[in-house]
Amino acid sequence: MDLLKDPVNDRQVKTLKPPPHRPLSRNLMFPDKLKNKPDWKLLRDHLQKEGRIAKEDLFKLVADCNKLLKNEGNVLYLQDPLTVVGDIHGQYYDLLKLLEPKVGGNPENTKYLFLGDFVDRGSYSIEVIILMYAIKLNFQNSVYFLRGNHECRQLTAFFNFKEECLYKYDQETYEMLMDSFDLFPLACIINSKFIAIHGGISPDLKSIEDIKKIERYHEPPRQGLFCDLLWSDPVDQEQGHLDTAWKSNEVRGCSWFFGGESANKFLQRNNLISIIRAHEAQLDGYRMHRWNGGQDFPVVITIFSAPNYCDVYNNRGAVIKFENNTLNIQQYQYTPHPYLLPNFMDIFTWSIPFVAEKITEMLYHILQTDIQDDDEQISESDIQQFKQLTKQAGLQKQSTTGSSQGAQKNTEKLKNKIKFVSTMMKMQRTLREERESIIQLKGACPDKRLPRGILMKGKDAINDQLADFNTAKSVDLINEKMPYAQIPQESIQIKKPSTQRKK
């Protein structure tokens, strides 16, 4: 792993090591001693330094892992000890924290179940996938994946994973990874008493056999059991009450809300204790839905493993650790990561607001030369003085042309131009001075839309939007919906295995 050269010794931050200069070579990534398996520890350290791997090596890694995924059934069967992980969302450096012995456990001696949503939102989804696939190839009987709602073509095109693939590799790589996501299993039975899924249950889910019958090797549909397993949510109500057994999920734009009545019926019918799922950001990294009373075991447990989600939520991450039929929650804080401009923006595009501000200032001075302080918003007295001057000019023009009405119109037009440019200056100044805060806020808004009017309200309003978990979640709520834009739903066609393999 050759680091970038510094021939003139002008690197500004000497304590920060430069990233690797070249992709990791194949003989290091797939050493002979591991019998064609990737060296996951070397990969982990290489990616942590912002290194890359060659496209052909990535394709080999994914192809080898696909053989394992394809042979797994829709429903996995696992026993403890087991660590269950929620959403990761491209937060590679938090994933490294999760894999430490004191948090989730060393993969060499820990069994893992990941509940999906490996990609999108964070800037290191490629790195997350590379490391996860490498670990699975090394520990085939102790590392398992379930599919999340973000492992699909529609969401990855709407959010930033497709853009990340195009930035770091190309369209072919993106399509290859989408085909791989089509192979992920959908559910897991733990200790014969818990069902683990990404989203939630469905009106179409009567028994575990219904999940086994799903043809999973394609893009998830917008409705039905397959969709609901990835998208449905427990109702946000302390007792789990709903007026009806199922309520349309307007937050997601698809699927359902389910409450205590539906959940308890499903669990009793299938002789299960609880539903373990991910899919929703939680302030503490987890939430226990004790709909049957405080002393009873939670009907639903939500686990979320992406701390400080989108760099703005200020939440903890958490994992569930099963051992000897005992369930424990392990929380952890976020880990600092290298800074990237949003949406993999280049420095020229990033600098456009600064250039626009200077151009606006020039236009402002052209229209109003009497303003002494260009940082001060135009006042009403300035407008009145300007109006009198232009009125005198209009009277003089009226004596020669007899067109006072035209002069008045010109005066109003010019006044409006000055007010408009003044407003633009305030917005541009906010954009420049609060650049870092705006970038943070946009981290929660991958559709590149800030809350309406936020720039006009200035610094305090921006900081208020970033103040706490609930506000960040409220701002980001629109992004929890399934996009309405139709993405071509191409997928690979693979014959479903005739038998379900139990683990």
Side-chain angles (χ1 to χ4, degrees), residues 85-89 115-117 148-150 155 197-200 227-234 249 252 254-256 258 276-282 301-305 309 473 480:
V85 182
D87 300 32
I88 296 174
H89 281 300
L115 301 183
D117 275 12
N149 64 308
H150 278 262
L155 283 187
I197 44 184
H198 178 75
C227 170
D228 297 338
L229 291 173
L230 308 184
W231 280 94
S232 70
D233 292 304
N249 194 333
R252 302 291 185 180
C254 67
S255 194
W256 306 91
F258 61 92
I276 296 175
R277 42 92 67 176
H279 196 40
E280 284 187 291
Q282 301 295 335
I301 302 174
T302 298
I303 194 75
F304 194 78
S305 304
Y309 183 41
K473 189 172 182 178
E480 296 300 327

Side-chain angles (χ1 to χ4, degrees), residues 75-197:
V75 181
L76 305 172
Y77 291 83
L78 301 178
Q79 298 291 323
D80 66 20
L82 176 70
T83 297
V84 181
V85 182
D87 300 32
I88 296 174
H89 281 300
Q91 297 183 197
Y92 179 75
Y93 293 84
D94 295 312
L95 173 62
L96 298 183
K97 178 73 173 179
L98 185 158
L99 296 174
E100 291 180 358
K102 292 183 178 180
V103 184
N106 189 328
E108 293 177 328
N109 48 40
T110 304
K111 189 186 298 181
Y112 272 102
L113 173 66
F114 293 85
L115 301 183
D117 275 12
F118 299 92
V119 301
D120 278 334
R121 311 309 294 268
S123 299
Y124 299 95
S125 297
I126 287 283
E127 286 78 3
V128 167
I129 290 298
I130 290 173
L131 182 59
M132 287 287 88
Y133 279 38
I135 291 176
K136 183 167 179 63
L137 285 171
N138 279 274
F139 309 106
Q140 302 176 14
N141 297 319
S142 60
V143 175
Y144 299 92
F145 307 152
L146 298 185
R147 191 170 190 173
N149 64 308
H150 278 262
E151 275 75 59
C152 71
R153 293 159 184 81
Q154 191 169 21
L155 283 187
T156 52
F158 179 74
F159 288 93
N160 65 329
F161 181 61
K162 182 176 183 179
E163 190 172 8
E164 180 180 345
C165 289
L166 298 180
Y167 173 74
K168 296 178 180 178
Y169 292 97
D170 53 25
Q171 178 72 21
E172 184 183 16
T173 302
Y174 170 72
E175 293 174 355
M176 177 270 298
L177 290 171
M178 291 299 103
D179 289 343
S180 180
F181 293 163
D182 286 339
L183 305 177
F184 284 16
L186 303 178
C188 178
I189 303 299
I190 302 172
N191 288 355
S192 301
K193 291 297 181 183
F194 300 87
I195 182 171
I197 44 184

Side-chain angles (χ1 to χ4, degrees), residues 52-68:
R52 302 279 178 85
I53 65 173
K55 177 181 173 181
E56 54 269 24
D57 293 334
L58 175 58
F59 272 61
K60 172 178 168 49
L61 179 75
V62 174
D64 291 347
C65 197
N66 284 349
K67 297 175 184 177
L68 302 178

